[in-house]
């Protein structure tokens, strides 16, 4: 998801960065960016020609990969003379989403997106903000509220060795209807709805996003001091740090804070994330697992003590294994799967 939003930022940066060259040159550059990415399509990229606004109109933009796709009838990128380093992405309120080969009507209620460019940072998107009141599929609400804010920040001394840029992201996703998405063919492993997500995440990238670059950078690590996830009646707060190891697997340490630990273990087992024997072992030794200390030698944020009624379950991912409370429970997933 974050890679897609960074890609949006690069397209907007092309408009802002080529202000002096005119709309025609900017349109050509965005067309080149789209043509150079096999996942993107557009039938036409043309100058906006609506002074005093500067920008372009993209006809039938689309994104597709093996997991699915999204297509819109049009999209516009605009900047004004009063704010020459900030671009607005104007989107229609309807489009189409493809899930497991089936097309569904997409509805966007009051979508808004802005990108601010940093001229002294190789025309990198310095700030990206995306919001929508509601997202529907086939006229049925699937997301109640979407809010993403990404601000470029300095690369601190604790950043992964592969990191070349960092963004502080604030994420807010409300009431995702997983049952409806499952009925449409999306395999969500029986996650109960509604699902919600909220909190701050520090993202590390393997390059600085720039319209002058040849490829969109990838996320190589993340860290959070508190990301709250809700799923049906269950809720947990995630604190920790995960990075991509040399083999492309997830590596690091997180702590799960929850009052619904047993339900979560059962749900994870139903999803196939925890084998049956491990589920029984974890459930039986839950109180002891919650006493497992945090590994202070691993880099990451501060891990607070759990609130009253909660348990804190330390999870380490190391050497290709997942350890919960020091007990191996399975293989570490690819970094991109988290």
């Amino acid at each position: 998801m974050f890679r897609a939003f960074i890609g949006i930022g690069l397209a907007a940066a092309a408009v802002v960065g080529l202000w002096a060259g005119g709309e025609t040159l900017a349109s050509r550059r965005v067309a080149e960016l789209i043509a150079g990415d096999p996942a993107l399509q557009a039938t036409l990229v043309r100058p906006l020609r609506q002074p005093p606004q500067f920008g372009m109109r993209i006809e039938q933009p689309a994104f597709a990969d093996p997991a699915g796709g999204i297509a819109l009838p049009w999209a516009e990128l605009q900047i004004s003379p009063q704010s020459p380093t900030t671009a607005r992405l104007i989107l229609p309120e309807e489009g189409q989403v493809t899930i497991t080969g089936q097309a569904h009507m997409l509805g966007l209620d009051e979508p808004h997106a802005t990108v601010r460019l940093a001229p002294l940072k190789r025309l990198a998107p310095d700030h990206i903000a995306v919001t929508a009141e509601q997202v529907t599929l086939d006229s049925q609400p699937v997301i109640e509220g979407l809010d993403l804010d990404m601000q470029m920040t300095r690369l601190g001394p604790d950043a992964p060795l592969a990191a070349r840029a960092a963004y502080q992201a604030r994420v807010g996703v409300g009431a995702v209807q997983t049952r409806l998405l499952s009925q449409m063919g999306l395999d969500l492993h029986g996650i109960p709805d509604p699902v919600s997500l909220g909190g701050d995440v520090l993202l590390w990238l393997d390059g600085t996003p720039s319209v002058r670059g040849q490829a969109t950078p990838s996320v190589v690590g993340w860290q959070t001091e508190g990301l709250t996830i809700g799923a049906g009646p269950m809720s947990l707060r995630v604190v920790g740090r995960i990075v991509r190891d040399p083999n492309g697997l997830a590596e690091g340490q997180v702590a799960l804070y929850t009052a619904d630990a047993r339900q979560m273990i059962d749900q994870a087992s139903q999803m196939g994330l925890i084998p049956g024997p491990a589920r029984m072992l974890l459930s039986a030794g839950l109180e002891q697992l919650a006493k497992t200390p945090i590994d202070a030698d691993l880099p990451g944020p501060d891990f607070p003590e759990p609130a009253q009624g909660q348990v804190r379950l330390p999870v380490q991912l190391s050497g290709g294994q997942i350890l919960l409370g020091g007990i191996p429970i399975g293989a570490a997933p690819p970094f991109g799967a988290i």
Side-chain angles (χ1 to χ4, degrees):
M1 179 183 72
F2 291 110
R3 183 181 181 276
F5 285 122
I6 291 170
I8 292 173
L10 291 181
V15 182
V16 180
L18 296 174
W19 168 280
E23 289 181 325
T24 300
L25 184 58
S27 299
R28 288 175 181 171
R29 179 56 178 147
V30 170
E32 291 172 357
L33 289 172
I34 294 173
D37 191 330
L40 298 176
Q41 290 183 351
T43 59
L44 179 67
V45 181
R46 61 178 177 83
L48 190 59
R49 301 289 192 250
Q50 293 180 5
Q53 298 293 325
F54 174 93
M56 68 188 64
R57 183 179 175 95
I58 306 172
E59 300 291 348
Q60 299 182 25
F63 170 84
D65 66 11
I70 180 172
L72 300 175
W74 56 268
E76 288 185 358
L77 286 166
Q78 299 181 2
I79 57 178
S80 71
Q82 290 77 23
S83 302
T85 60
T86 300
R88 288 194 309 144
L89 177 63
I90 312 299
L91 298 174
E93 293 189 349
E94 60 183 23
Q96 181 176 288
V97 168
T98 302
I99 301 175
T100 62
Q102 297 295 318
H104 301 275
M105 183 174 62
L106 170 68
L108 299 171
D109 184 9
E110 298 188 24
H112 298 282
T114 60
V115 178
R116 186 178 68 227
L117 182 67
L120 301 181
K121 298 178 182 177
R122 300 181 65 247
L123 301 180
D126 179 64
H127 180 256
I128 301 173
V130 179
T131 63
E133 292 295 324
Q134 186 184 74
V135 179
T136 64
L137 289 179
D138 295 338
S139 301
Q140 301 182 74
V142 291
I143 300 177
E144 294 288 350
L146 171 65
D147 190 348
L148 174 67
D149 188 282
M150 296 175 62
Q151 175 70 56
M152 180 176 280
T153 187
R154 70 181 185 88
L155 200 62
D158 293 334
L161 293 177
R164 297 295 180 269
Y167 280 85
Q168 186 68 49
R170 175 165 294 178
V171 184
V173 180
V176 179
Q177 303 301 320
T178 56
R179 185 178 305 177
L180 178 60
L181 292 173
S182 296
Q183 292 172 355
M184 293 180 174
L186 197 62
D187 186 7
L188 298 175
H189 303 285
I191 299 176
D193 60 12
V195 168
S196 61
L197 177 68
D200 293 340
V201 183
L202 177 61
L203 300 171
W204 289 297
L205 280 63
D206 61 1
T208 301
S210 172
V211 68
R212 294 173 177 170
Q214 298 300 313
T216 302
S218 298
V219 177
V220 294
W222 56 263
Q223 178 171 301
T224 179
E225 295 181 359
L227 187 64
T228 300
I229 303 171
M234 299 179 292
S235 177
L236 79 153
R237 183 167 175 255
V238 180
V239 177
R241 164 188 167 123
I242 299 293
V243 301
R244 187 179 67 193
D245 76 2
N247 297 316
L249 300 177
E251 180 179 75
Q253 176 176 231
V254 298
L256 308 180
Y257 296 77
T258 182
D260 308 304
R262 296 188 189 280
Q263 296 95 314
M264 287 176 49
I265 291 173
D266 290 342
Q267 181 66 44
S269 178
Q270 293 175 18
M271 295 170 61
L273 300 177
I274 299 177
R279 181 191 68 81
M280 297 177 61
L281 181 62
L282 292 173
S283 296
L286 186 59
E287 293 184 4
Q288 191 63 34
L289 292 174
K291 298 178 182 178
T292 304
I294 296 293
D295 189 340
D297 293 331
L298 295 177
D302 293 332
F303 292 87
E305 293 297 321
Q308 186 174 1
Q310 287 188 334
V311 296
R312 182 182 69 184
L313 300 176
V315 180
Q316 283 91 31
L317 296 95
S318 178
Q321 293 289 316
I322 303 176
L323 297 96
L324 178 57
I327 299 176
I329 61 172
F335 174 78
I338 297 183

